Amino acid sequence: MDAPIRPNPLRWLLYVFGAGLPARHRTWVLHDVTAPTWRLRHLVRVTVQLAPIGVALYLLIPGPAHVKALSVLAGALLGYFYSLAYMQESAEHRVAKAGYPVGSAAAVRAEAEEGGRAAARERYARRWRG
């Protein structure tokens, strides 16, 4: 597999908001949604998506600062909730846009986790099965 080529900051920002990346970033997209930190990466993307909306709402909503802040916080929490609920589907959609078959991200993550599961089974067997 080719070494992942990271997109430049502008392309990454467009990627965060749903734009596809050129073919040369194909392996990076797969890496982005299958790395051990893929959940954290997803939350960073969501934060980048929610931040401008939150700032705009805070500035446009009339009223006391604490009411505005709590309103924006409630909206952000709802956004994070739905984002987490559809995190795997979002990852699969990103890899499909990069040209991989749907299910590729889950398959790569499962393959990577299998080594850890095998080691855990071995430790369990040594400890409890004698």
Side-chain angles (χ1 to χ4, degrees):
M1 182 162 77
D2 298 333
I5 300 172
R6 178 184 294 272
N8 65 41
L10 178 60
R11 285 223 188 259
W12 180 82
L13 192 59
L14 293 172
Y15 166 77
V16 164
F17 283 98
L21 290 173
R24 69 180 178 270
H25 300 296
R26 184 174 191 255
T27 55
W28 180 84
V29 172
L30 185 63
H31 168 76
D32 184 47
V33 297
T34 59
T37 57
W38 77 277
R39 291 176 184 91
L40 179 61
R41 289 168 176 257
H42 177 80
L43 290 175
V44 168
R45 285 193 301 270
V46 170
T47 301
V48 170
Q49 291 172 348
L50 292 176
I53 298 167
V55 169
L57 287 174
Y58 183 83
L59 296 174
L60 296 174
I61 295 174
H66 70 281
V67 172
K68 296 190 306 184
L70 289 175
S71 299
V72 169
L73 176 64
L77 290 175
L78 189 60
Y80 282 116
F81 173 79
Y82 279 103
S83 171
L84 292 173
Y86 291 100
M87 183 167 38
Q88 293 195 10
E89 290 82 355
S90 174
E92 292 300 336
H93 181 70
R94 288 184 185 278
V95 296
K97 282 173 55 174
Y100 291 97
V102 173
S104 296
V108 169
R109 286 192 301 266
E111 185 179 322
E113 292 171 0
E114 183 54 38
R117 282 192 220 116
R121 281 194 298 270
E122 184 181 317
R123 284 191 311 271
Y124 179 87
R126 270 197 322 263
R127 181 173 183 167
W128 299 106
R129 310 263 181 200

